[in-house]
Amino acid sequence: MPSLRLDDDQTIQAIGILADVLDRFSGMTSLECTLVSKALRQVQQTRSQIGMDFAARAFATLEPDIRRRIADDATDAAHEVSTTLKLPKLRAPRPSNPQAATGLLGAINNRGSRPRKPV
């Protein structure tokens, strides 16, 4: 798994946005979402690669559809933050592998970009 640059403030901000979305998620997987959120908050505080690896593994245990919904919600939230606060656009290149977009790194890396609508 490629690692994120945890010394980058925009990456840390994106991790926080994703944690916020996970905190608001409800339903049968809300406990799992809370676990991932708490792991991401720890990464925000410590900028620990070990913590990030744990958070990524925890995120990967969520169902693919749930991960996709969370990633879409986080993308929308990041877009709102960037337009409301006039922050620089938070966007990393989209992964070329569509399956990678459902992982934790995909959710973080797609921050600020608009999701593509299925045809």
Side-chain angles (χ1 to χ4, degrees):
M1 168 189 310
S3 63
L4 294 171
R5 287 194 47 222
L6 296 175
D7 60 343
D8 177 59
D9 289 336
Q10 288 184 336
T11 298
I12 296 301
Q13 181 184 16
I15 289 170
I17 290 169
L18 183 58
D20 290 344
V21 168
L22 285 157
D23 284 341
R24 293 189 306 262
F25 203 82
S26 61
M28 293 183 61
T29 59
S30 63
L31 183 60
E32 291 87 353
C33 290
T34 299
L35 172 70
V36 178
S37 171
K38 292 200 179 300
L40 289 171
R41 300 261 184 238
Q42 187 69 25
V43 171
Q44 273 188 296
Q45 292 174 355
T46 64
R47 297 183 182 223
S48 162
Q49 186 59 51
I50 292 170
M52 189 67 219
D53 294 343
F54 175 80
R57 285 191 306 272
F59 190 82
T61 66
L62 299 173
E63 295 292 325
D65 289 343
I66 300 295
R67 291 193 310 254
R68 212 169 288 113
R69 284 180 33 208
I70 290 167
D72 289 346
D73 289 353
T75 298
D76 291 343
H79 181 66
E80 284 180 30
V81 167
S82 68
T83 57
T84 303
L85 299 177
K86 304 295 183 210
L87 297 174
K89 191 169 187 177
L90 301 176
R91 183 176 180 168
R94 285 189 177 270
S96 59
N97 178 356
Q99 290 296 328
T102 63
L104 181 64
L105 292 179
I108 293 170
N109 284 333
N110 287 331
R111 65 200 184 269
S113 62
R114 299 301 304 163
R116 288 181 271 190
K117 300 291 180 194
V119 180

